[in-house]
Amino acid sequence: MKADIHPDYHMIKVVMTDGTEYMTRSTWGSEGDTLRLDIDPNSHPAWTGGQQGLLDRGGRVSRFQKRYEGLGL
């Protein structure tokens, strides 16, 4: 294996949006740096199941409803 081709892994502190923190190994920053997250699994709707709305401004859903409105299903 070639020498000096792999990134330098070191310990950093990760601070979540709610203030919890943990230590992990990373190639980000330098040894002992603190990474403060703006978005994390505790706050992002993709992980928390946040409200998802169907936005349709005269698009596919409207065309579909207009096409099949007379079927009476």
Side-chain angles (χ1 to χ4, degrees):
M1 183 168 16
K2 292 182 180 179
D4 300 326
I5 63 168
H6 296 287
D8 175 40
Y9 279 97
H10 44 269
M11 295 300 288
I12 65 166
K13 179 171 48 171
V14 177
V15 180
M16 308 286 263
T17 56
D18 64 356
T20 58
E21 52 188 53
Y22 63 93
M23 298 294 290
T24 188
R25 291 181 52 176
S26 176
T27 59
W28 180 86
S30 303
E31 178 78 30
D33 281 353
T34 300
L35 175 63
R36 296 185 184 281
L37 300 178
D38 294 330
I39 298 173
D40 64 25
N42 296 327
S43 65
H44 194 278
W47 288 286
T48 60
Q51 296 295 328
Q52 296 178 357
L54 179 61
L55 297 177
D56 182 49
R57 296 188 176 107
R60 292 182 181 180
V61 175
S62 297
R63 287 193 309 254
F64 178 84
Q65 289 173 341
K66 185 177 179 183
R67 181 179 295 162
Y68 296 107
E69 67 188 351
L71 291 179
L73 294 176

